[in-house]
Amino acid sequence: MATPSSFSKAVLTWACAVLLIGCTSAQLSTNYYAKTCPKLFPTVKKTVHAAIAKETRMGASLLRLFFHDCFVNGCDGSNLLDDTPTFTGEKNATPNRNSLRGFDVVDKIKFAVEKVCPGIVSCADLLAIIARDAVEILGGPGWDVKLGRRDARTASQAAANNSIPPPTSNLNALISSFQNHGLSQKDLVALYGAHTIGQARCTNFRARIYNESNLDRSFAATTKRNCPRITGVGDNNLAGLDFQSATSFDNTYFVNLMRKRGLLHSDQQLFNGGSTDSLVRAYAKSQGTFYKDFVAAMINMGDIKPLTGSKGEIRKKCRRVN
Ligand code: HEM
Ligand SMILES: *[C@@H]1O[C@H](CO)[C@@H](O)[C@H](O)[C@H]1NC(C)=O
Ligand SMILES: *[C@@H]1O[C@H](CO)[C@@H](O)[C@H](O)[C@H]1NC(C)=O
């Protein structure tokens, strides 16, 4: 039997859907497409699996897409829109240009999903499902993804420039950025654990490895080998964000932070004598605690300002508005 509160939620969802009234409390739910697209989850997972089998790093790139969507005016698929002569999207914003990747994989997934249930599933929701699948495939935890977001008909390069913190950020800036998105310090540290997978370009960590002192010597030596000191030389050379373990979704990222092996300035800020040290210690000690908090934080991040009801649209192609 439905409890009174889940019953009233059902009525509210019905009223939002049938009467198209503006609903202030966004209602995402894990069974949103159960009836309208029963093959959704296996269809997405198959393609994410194939993409990661082809290139392990793609799992990291796909996870990051969701973060860079949610932090810019909410989880609305805005970062997937291509620039056109009359439209400036977010792909060339400072944090994204020459960095964000995986758009072709999202296209493939959208194509496969459109084949089994055309016009039903938003690109914003696909990013949430893809992120979950990527984490799980690389050995991390699984969870039920909340769904029901619609796609933006707009994007904002200015917001993308301003809403995603740069890797030069200090702890206070990171905390206040996450706070501005309704996320706690625990969410911050747990979500940062995403840097247990994937890579960064020399240009983003050169200043740290050559100039900072809260740095392990052997880590610095190894990392310098592929990232020359001189600006402009080897700027795009890559290093793993999680030293020597950047392909499995584990808690070694936090162990490395405790050894002063954070790759980005902002990574090491999480363990540098400040208020987040204790969380880093807890996650380094217990992978289970990290997984539990990471899942909760991913769900919190996925709740950022979704478009629901009659707002936005269900895009046919993720790269352009209908
Ligand atoms: C505010 C904190 C964060 C900062 C400053 C930050 C910064 C960065 C930077 C600079 C890179 C490397 C980009 C490049 O060199 O091209 C990167 C990569 C990455 N970030 Fe973050 N990040 C943050 C939070 C997050 C969060 C919350 C997630 C996901 C939940 C995430 C997931 C990733 C992943 C998976 C990669 C690797 C991508 C790949 O290999 O393609 N990051 N991040
Ligand atoms: C975003 O930053 C880039 C520099 O990285 C700049 O060229 C662009 O004009 C900025 N966009 C807006 C709208 O401020
Ligand atoms: C290191 O710091 C010095 C002094 O601030 C600066 O001139 C130099 O460019 C920095 N080096 C790197 C690789 O960032």
Coordinates of all heavy atoms in Angstrom, one line a residue, residues 57-68 71 95-101 164-169 174 177-178 187-188 190-205 235 237-238 241 264 266-267 294 298 301, ligand 1:
R57 N 39.9 5.0 -20.6 CA 39.7 6.4 -20.1 C 38.3 6.9 -20.4 O 37.9 7.9 -19.7 CB 40.8 7.3 -20.8 CG 40.7 8.7 -20.3 CD 41.6 9.6 -21.0 NE 41.4 11.0 -20.6 CZ 41.8 12.1 -21.3 NH1 42.5 11.9 -22.4 NH2 41.6 13.3 -20.8
M58 N 37.7 6.4 -21.4 CA 36.4 6.9 -21.8 C 35.4 6.9 -20.6 O 34.5 7.8 -20.4 CB 35.8 6.2 -23.0 CG 34.5 6.8 -23.5 SD 34.6 8.5 -23.9 CE 35.7 8.5 -25.3
G59 N 35.5 5.9 -19.7 CA 34.7 5.9 -18.5 C 34.8 7.1 -17.7 O 33.8 7.7 -17.2
A60 N 36.0 7.6 -17.5 CA 36.3 8.8 -16.8 C 35.7 10.0 -17.5 O 35.0 10.9 -16.9 CB 37.8 9.0 -16.6
S61 N 35.9 10.1 -18.8 CA 35.4 11.2 -19.6 C 33.9 11.3 -19.5 O 33.4 12.4 -19.4 CB 35.9 11.1 -21.0 OG 37.3 10.9 -21.1
L62 N 33.2 10.2 -19.5 CA 31.8 10.2 -19.5 C 31.3 10.6 -18.1 O 30.3 11.4 -18.0 CB 31.2 8.8 -19.8 CG 31.5 8.3 -21.3 CD1 31.1 6.9 -21.5 CD2 30.6 9.2 -22.3
L63 N 31.9 10.2 -17.1 CA 31.6 10.6 -15.7 C 31.7 12.2 -15.6 O 30.8 12.8 -15.0 CB 32.4 9.9 -14.7 CG 32.3 10.4 -13.2 CD1 30.9 10.3 -12.7 CD2 33.3 9.6 -12.3
R64 N 32.8 12.7 -16.1 CA 33.0 14.1 -16.0 C 32.0 14.9 -16.8 O 31.6 16.1 -16.3 CB 34.4 14.4 -16.6 CG 34.8 15.9 -16.3 CD 36.3 16.0 -16.7 NE 36.8 17.4 -16.4 CZ 37.4 18.1 -17.3 NH1 37.7 17.6 -18.5 NH2 37.9 19.3 -17.0
L65 N 31.4 14.4 -17.9 CA 30.4 15.1 -18.6 C 29.2 15.4 -17.7 O 28.6 16.5 -17.9 CB 29.9 14.2 -19.8 CG 30.7 14.3 -21.1 CD1 30.0 13.3 -22.1 CD2 30.8 15.7 -21.7
F66 N 28.8 14.5 -16.9 CA 27.7 14.7 -16.0 C 28.0 15.9 -15.0 O 27.1 16.8 -14.8 CB 27.4 13.4 -15.2 CG 26.1 13.5 -14.4 CD1 24.9 13.9 -14.9 CD2 26.2 13.0 -13.1 CE1 23.8 13.9 -14.1 CE2 25.0 13.1 -12.3 CZ 23.8 13.5 -12.8
F67 N 29.2 15.9 -14.4 CA 29.6 17.0 -13.5 C 29.5 18.3 -14.2 O 28.9 19.3 -13.7 CB 31.0 16.7 -13.0 CG 31.7 17.8 -12.3 CD1 31.1 18.6 -11.3 CD2 33.0 18.1 -12.7 CE1 31.8 19.6 -10.7 CE2 33.7 19.2 -12.1 CZ 33.1 19.9 -11.1
H68 N 30.1 18.4 -15.4 CA 30.1 19.7 -16.1 C 28.8 20.1 -16.7 O 28.6 21.2 -17.1 CB 31.2 19.6 -17.3 CG 32.6 19.8 -16.8 ND1 33.6 20.4 -17.4 CD2 33.2 19.3 -15.6 CE1 34.7 20.4 -16.7 NE2 34.5 19.7 -15.6
F71 N 26.8 21.4 -13.0 CA 27.3 22.6 -12.4 C 27.0 23.8 -13.2 O 27.3 24.9 -12.7 CB 28.8 22.5 -12.1 CG 29.1 22.0 -10.7 CD1 28.5 20.9 -10.1 CD2 29.9 22.8 -9.8 CE1 28.7 20.5 -8.8 CE2 30.1 22.4 -8.5 CZ 29.6 21.2 -8.0
P95 N 36.7 25.7 -18.9 CA 36.9 24.3 -18.3 C 36.7 23.2 -19.3 O 37.1 22.0 -19.0 CB 35.9 24.2 -17.2 CG 35.2 25.6 -17.1 CD 35.5 26.3 -18.4
N96 N 36.1 23.5 -20.4 CA 35.7 22.4 -21.4 C 36.5 22.3 -22.6 O 36.7 21.2 -23.1 CB 34.2 22.6 -21.8 CG 33.2 22.5 -20.7 OD1 33.5 21.9 -19.6 ND2 32.0 23.1 -20.8
R97 N 37.0 23.4 -23.1 CA 37.7 23.5 -24.4 C 38.9 22.6 -24.4 O 39.7 22.6 -23.4 CB 38.1 24.9 -24.7 CG 38.7 25.2 -26.0 CD 39.1 26.6 -26.2 NE 39.7 26.8 -27.5 CZ 39.0 27.2 -28.6 NH1 37.7 27.4 -28.4 NH2 39.6 27.4 -29.7
N98 N 39.1 21.7 -25.4 CA 40.2 20.8 -25.5 C 40.3 19.8 -24.4 O 41.4 19.3 -24.1 CB 41.6 21.5 -25.6 CG 41.6 22.4 -26.9 OD1 41.1 22.0 -27.9 ND2 42.3 23.5 -26.8
S99 N 39.2 19.6 -23.7 CA 39.3 18.9 -22.4 C 38.1 17.9 -22.3 O 38.3 16.7 -22.1 CB 39.4 19.8 -21.2 OG 39.5 19.1 -20.0
L100 N 36.9 18.4 -22.4 CA 35.7 17.6 -22.3 C 35.7 16.6 -23.5 O 35.9 17.1 -24.6 CB 34.5 18.5 -22.2 CG 33.3 18.1 -21.3 CD1 33.8 17.8 -19.9 CD2 32.3 19.2 -21.3
R101 N 35.4 15.4 -23.2 CA 35.3 14.4 -24.3 C 34.2 13.4 -24.1 O 33.6 13.3 -23.0 CB 36.7 13.8 -24.6 CG 37.3 13.1 -23.4 CD 38.8 13.0 -23.4 NE 39.3 12.2 -24.5 CZ 39.3 10.8 -24.4 NH1 38.9 10.2 -23.3 NH2 39.7 10.1 -25.4
I164 N 32.2 26.3 -12.9 CA 33.0 25.1 -12.6 C 34.3 25.6 -12.1 O 35.0 26.4 -12.8 CB 33.2 24.3 -13.9 CG1 31.9 23.9 -14.5 CG2 34.2 23.1 -13.7 CD1 32.0 23.3 -15.9
P165 N 34.7 25.3 -10.9 CA 35.9 25.9 -10.3 C 37.2 25.4 -11.1 O 37.3 24.3 -11.5 CB 36.0 25.4 -8.9 CG 34.9 24.4 -8.7 CD 34.0 24.4 -10.0
P166 N 38.2 26.3 -11.2 CA 39.4 25.9 -11.9 C 40.3 25.1 -11.0 O 40.2 25.1 -9.7 CB 40.1 27.3 -12.2 CG 39.5 28.2 -11.1 CD 38.2 27.7 -10.8
P167 N 41.3 24.4 -11.5 CA 42.2 23.5 -10.7 C 43.2 24.3 -9.9 O 43.9 23.7 -9.1 CB 42.9 22.6 -11.8 CG 42.8 23.4 -13.0 CD 41.5 24.2 -13.0
T168 N 43.2 25.6 -10.0 CA 44.0 26.4 -9.2 C 43.3 26.8 -7.9 O 43.9 27.6 -7.1 CB 44.5 27.7 -10.0 OG1 43.3 28.2 -10.5 CG2 45.4 27.4 -11.1
S169 N 42.1 26.4 -7.7 CA 41.3 26.8 -6.6 C 41.9 26.4 -5.2 O 42.4 25.2 -5.1 CB 39.9 26.3 -6.7 OG 39.3 26.6 -7.9
L174 N 36.7 26.1 -3.3 CA 36.0 24.8 -3.6 C 34.8 24.6 -2.7 O 33.7 24.3 -3.2 CB 37.0 23.6 -3.4 CG 38.2 23.6 -4.3 CD1 39.2 22.5 -3.9 CD2 37.8 23.4 -5.8
S177 N 32.1 27.1 -3.8 CA 31.5 26.8 -5.1 C 30.5 25.6 -4.9 O 29.4 25.7 -5.4 CB 32.6 26.3 -6.1 OG 32.0 25.6 -7.1
F178 N 30.9 24.6 -4.2 CA 29.9 23.5 -3.9 C 28.7 23.9 -3.1 O 27.6 23.5 -3.4 CB 30.7 22.3 -3.3 CG 31.3 21.4 -4.3 CD1 32.3 21.9 -5.2 CD2 30.9 20.1 -4.5 CE1 32.9 21.1 -6.1 CE2 31.5 19.3 -5.5 CZ 32.5 19.8 -6.3
D187 N 29.9 16.2 0.4 CA 29.7 16.0 -1.1 C 30.9 16.3 -1.9 O 31.3 15.6 -2.8 CB 28.5 16.8 -1.6 CG 27.1 16.4 -1.0 OD1 26.9 15.2 -0.8 OD2 26.3 17.3 -0.7
L188 N 31.5 17.4 -1.5 CA 32.7 17.9 -2.2 C 33.8 16.8 -2.2 O 34.3 16.4 -3.3 CB 33.3 19.2 -1.6 CG 34.7 19.6 -2.0 CD1 34.8 20.0 -3.4 CD2 35.2 20.7 -1.0
A190 N 33.7 13.6 -1.4 CA 33.3 12.3 -2.0 C 33.2 12.4 -3.5 O 33.7 11.5 -4.2 CB 31.9 11.9 -1.4
L191 N 32.7 13.5 -4.0 CA 32.6 13.7 -5.5 C 34.0 13.8 -6.1 O 34.3 13.3 -7.2 CB 31.8 14.9 -5.9 CG 30.3 14.7 -5.7 CD1 29.5 16.1 -5.9 CD2 29.7 13.7 -6.7
Y192 N 34.9 14.5 -5.4 CA 36.3 14.6 -5.8 C 36.9 13.2 -6.0 O 37.9 13.1 -6.8 CB 37.1 15.4 -4.9 CG 37.7 16.7 -5.5 CD1 37.3 17.9 -5.1 CD2 38.7 16.5 -6.5 CE1 37.8 19.1 -5.7 CE2 39.2 17.7 -7.1 CZ 38.8 18.9 -6.7 OH 39.3 20.0 -7.2
G193 N 36.4 12.2 -5.3 CA 36.9 10.9 -5.4 C 36.7 10.4 -6.9 O 37.3 9.3 -7.2
A194 N 35.9 11.1 -7.7 CA 35.8 10.7 -9.1 C 37.2 10.8 -9.8 O 37.5 10.2 -10.8 CB 34.9 11.7 -9.8
H195 N 38.1 11.6 -9.2 CA 39.5 11.7 -9.7 C 40.3 10.4 -9.4 O 41.5 10.4 -9.7 CB 40.2 12.9 -9.2 CG 39.7 14.2 -9.8 ND1 40.3 15.4 -9.6 CD2 38.7 14.4 -10.7 CE1 39.7 16.4 -10.3 NE2 38.7 15.8 -11.0
T196 N 39.7 9.4 -8.9 CA 40.3 8.1 -8.9 C 40.4 7.5 -10.3 O 41.1 6.4 -10.4 CB 39.5 7.1 -8.0 OG1 40.1 5.8 -7.9 CG2 38.1 6.9 -8.5
I197 N 39.7 8.0 -11.2 CA 39.9 7.6 -12.6 C 40.2 8.8 -13.5 O 39.9 9.9 -13.2 CB 38.6 6.9 -13.1 CG1 37.4 7.7 -12.9 CG2 38.5 5.5 -12.5 CD1 36.1 7.1 -13.6
G198 N 40.8 8.5 -14.7 CA 40.9 9.6 -15.7 C 42.3 10.3 -15.6 O 43.1 10.1 -14.8
Q199 N 42.4 11.3 -16.5 CA 43.7 11.9 -16.7 C 43.6 13.4 -16.8 O 42.5 14.0 -17.1 CB 44.3 11.4 -18.0 CG 44.2 9.9 -18.1 CD 45.3 9.3 -18.9 OE1 45.4 9.5 -20.1 NE2 46.1 8.5 -18.2
A200 N 44.7 14.1 -16.6 CA 44.7 15.6 -16.7 C 45.9 16.0 -17.6 O 46.9 15.2 -17.7 CB 44.8 16.2 -15.4
R201 N 45.8 17.1 -18.2 CA 46.9 17.6 -19.1 C 47.9 18.4 -18.3 O 47.6 19.2 -17.4 CB 46.2 18.6 -20.2 CG 45.4 17.8 -21.2 CD 44.6 18.8 -22.1 NE 43.7 19.6 -21.2 CZ 43.4 20.8 -21.4 NH1 43.9 21.5 -22.5 NH2 42.6 21.5 -20.6
C202 N 49.1 18.3 -18.7 CA 50.3 18.9 -18.1 C 50.0 20.4 -17.8 O 50.4 20.9 -16.7 CB 51.4 18.8 -19.1 SG 52.9 19.7 -18.7
T203 N 49.3 21.1 -18.7 CA 49.1 22.5 -18.5 C 48.3 22.8 -17.2 O 48.4 23.9 -16.6 CB 48.3 23.1 -19.7 OG1 48.1 24.5 -19.5 CG2 46.9 22.5 -19.9
N204 N 47.5 21.8 -16.7 CA 46.8 21.9 -15.5 C 47.5 21.5 -14.2 O 47.0 21.8 -13.1 CB 45.5 21.1 -15.6 CG 44.4 21.8 -16.4 OD1 44.3 23.0 -16.4 ND2 43.7 21.0 -17.2
F205 N 48.7 20.9 -14.3 CA 49.4 20.5 -13.1 C 50.9 21.0 -13.1 O 51.6 20.7 -12.1 CB 49.2 19.0 -12.8 CG 49.7 18.1 -13.9 CD1 51.0 17.8 -14.1 CD2 48.8 17.5 -14.7 CE1 51.5 16.9 -15.1 CE2 49.2 16.6 -15.8 CZ 50.5 16.4 -15.9
D235 N 52.1 20.7 -23.4 CA 51.0 21.1 -22.6 C 49.9 20.1 -22.5 O 49.1 20.0 -21.5 CB 50.4 22.4 -23.2 CG 51.1 23.7 -22.8 OD1 52.2 23.5 -22.2 OD2 50.7 24.8 -23.2
N237 N 50.3 16.8 -22.7 CA 50.7 15.5 -22.2 C 49.9 15.1 -21.0 O 49.6 16.0 -20.2 CB 52.2 15.5 -21.8 CG 53.1 15.7 -23.0 OD1 52.7 15.7 -24.2 ND2 54.4 15.7 -22.8
L238 N 49.6 13.8 -20.9 CA 48.6 13.4 -19.9 C 49.3 12.7 -18.7 O 50.4 12.1 -18.8 CB 47.6 12.4 -20.5 CG 46.7 13.0 -21.6 CD1 46.0 11.9 -22.3 CD2 45.8 14.0 -21.0
L241 N 45.1 11.1 -12.8 CA 44.7 11.9 -11.7 C 45.0 11.1 -10.4 O 45.3 11.7 -9.3 CB 43.3 12.3 -11.8 CG 43.0 13.5 -12.7 CD1 41.5 13.5 -13.2 CD2 43.3 14.8 -12.0
L264 N 46.5 17.7 -9.1 CA 46.2 19.1 -9.3 C 46.3 19.8 -8.0 O 46.2 19.2 -6.9 CB 44.7 19.2 -9.8 CG 44.3 18.4 -11.0 CD1 42.7 18.5 -11.2 CD2 45.0 18.9 -12.2
S266 N 44.2 21.8 -6.8 CA 42.9 21.6 -6.1 C 42.8 20.3 -5.5 O 42.1 20.2 -4.4 CB 41.8 21.9 -7.1 OG 41.9 21.1 -8.2
D267 N 43.3 19.2 -6.1 CA 43.3 17.9 -5.4 C 43.9 17.9 -4.0 O 43.3 17.5 -3.0 CB 44.0 16.8 -6.3 CG 43.2 16.4 -7.5 OD1 42.0 16.2 -7.4 OD2 43.9 16.4 -8.6
F294 N 29.9 8.6 -1.9 CA 30.0 9.0 -3.3 C 28.6 8.9 -3.9 O 28.1 9.8 -4.7 CB 31.0 8.2 -4.0 CG 31.1 8.5 -5.5 CD1 31.8 9.6 -5.9 CD2 30.5 7.7 -6.4 CE1 31.9 9.9 -7.3 CE2 30.6 8.0 -7.8 CZ 31.2 9.1 -8.2
M298 N 26.5 11.8 -5.6 CA 26.1 11.8 -7.0 C 24.6 12.1 -7.1 O 24.2 12.8 -8.1 CB 26.5 10.4 -7.6 CG 27.9 10.3 -8.0 SD 28.5 11.4 -9.3 CE 27.9 10.5 -10.8
M301 N 24.1 15.7 -6.5 CA 24.5 16.5 -7.6 C 23.5 16.4 -8.8 O 23.2 17.4 -9.5 CB 25.9 16.1 -8.1 CG 26.5 16.9 -9.3 SD 28.2 16.6 -9.6 CE 28.1 15.1 -10.6
Ligands
HEM1 C1 35.7 21.5 -8.1 C2 36.4 20.5 -8.2 C3 37.0 20.0 -9.5 C4 38.0 20.5 -10.2 C5 38.8 21.8 -9.9 C6 38.3 19.6 -11.2 C7 39.3 19.7 -12.2 C8 39.6 18.8 -13.2 C9 40.7 19.0 -14.1 C10 41.5 20.2 -14.3 C11 40.7 17.9 -14.9 C12 41.7 17.6 -16.0 C13 41.2 18.2 -17.3 C14 42.2 18.3 -18.3 O1 43.4 18.4 -18.0 O2 41.9 18.4 -19.5 C15 39.7 17.0 -14.4 C16 39.5 15.7 -14.9 C17 38.4 14.9 -14.4 N1 37.5 15.3 -13.5 FE1 37.5 16.8 -12.3 N2 37.5 18.5 -11.1 C18 36.6 18.7 -10.1 C19 35.6 17.9 -9.7 C20 35.2 16.8 -10.3 C21 33.9 16.1 -10.0 C22 32.9 16.5 -9.0 C23 33.9 15.0 -10.9 C24 32.8 14.0 -11.1 C25 31.9 13.6 -10.2 C26 35.1 15.1 -11.7 C27 35.5 14.1 -12.6 C28 36.6 14.2 -13.4 C29 37.1 13.1 -14.2 C30 36.5 11.7 -14.2 C31 38.2 13.5 -14.9 C32 39.1 12.8 -15.9 C33 38.5 13.0 -17.3 C34 39.2 12.3 -18.4 O3 40.1 11.6 -18.2 O4 38.7 12.5 -19.6 N3 35.8 16.2 -11.3 N4 39.0 17.6 -13.3

